[in-house]
């Protein structure tokens, strides 16, 4: 079954501020504490888009776990592989990798904090989809980059400085803008 089928047929329902019910069974306080700790980890991410993406990936994991009877804070390897296969049916390989990386990051931080025993999403534990050698983002040649830098050097010094930092460090534009 794919994730859409799971959500439609077996999704958990919230029956109180801290209680989640699945198939008539109220989930334990331990799971609620796990969820609170995971949400705290997510809230500590600096970039808003990262927080939004991590929240969506974590919610996807919770829906899958509750719908399939998996303990979300201590899943077995077969359960994690089943989750990966379920999202592979709906997402591009790069999106699956991003989701697994987000969950791995959350679990890694929770492991350090003693909330969970290990990171079941780590690429050394389960296989992640292969990535294409060529991504969607275009890449400038060295000559093109040098022409852009030369044109900026003849204009505004601030523009040249920003472009130079981007080119030399490979930083994301929003990181440079927020400096």
């Amino acid at each position: 079954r794919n994730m859409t089928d799971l959500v439609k047929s077996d999704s958990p329902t919230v029956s109180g501020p801290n209680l989640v019910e699945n198939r008539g069974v109220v989930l334990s306080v331990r799971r609620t504490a796990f969820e609170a700790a995971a949400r705290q980890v997510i809230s500590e991410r600096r970039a808003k888009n990262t927080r939004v993406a991590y929240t969506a990936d974590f919610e996807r994991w919770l829906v899958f776990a509750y719908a399939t009877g998996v303990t979300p804070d201590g899943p077995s390897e077969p359960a994690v592989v089943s989750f990966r296969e379920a999202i592979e049916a709906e997402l591009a390989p790069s999106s699956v990798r991003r989701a697994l990386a987000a969950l791995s990051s959350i679990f890694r931080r929770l492991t350090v904090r003693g909330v969970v025993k290990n990171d079941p999403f780590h690429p050394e534990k389960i296989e992640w989809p292969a990535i294409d050698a060529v991504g969607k983002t275009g890449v400038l040649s060295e000559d093109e980059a040098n022409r852009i830098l030369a044109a900026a050097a003849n204009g505004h010094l601030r523009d040249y400085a920003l472009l130079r930092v981007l080119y030399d460090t490979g930083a994301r534009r929003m990181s440079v803008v927020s400096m």
Side-chain angles (χ1 to χ4, degrees), residues 33-47 50-51 54-55 58 101-116:
F34 158 73
E35 289 177 31
R39 291 181 197 288
Q40 176 63 37
V41 165
I42 293 167
S43 74
E44 293 168 1
R45 303 303 300 192
R46 288 184 2 179
T50 301
R51 290 191 305 272
Y54 276 37
T55 298
F58 184 64
L103 291 167
S104 181
S105 176
I106 293 166
F107 270 82
R108 189 172 46 254
R109 285 180 170 82
L110 292 175
T111 301
V112 169
R113 296 175 186 186
V115 176
V116 297

Side-chain angles (χ1 to χ4, degrees), residues 5-16:
D5 293 338
L6 289 171
V7 172
K8 287 179 183 173
S9 63
D10 297 325
S11 62
T13 58
V14 177
S15 56

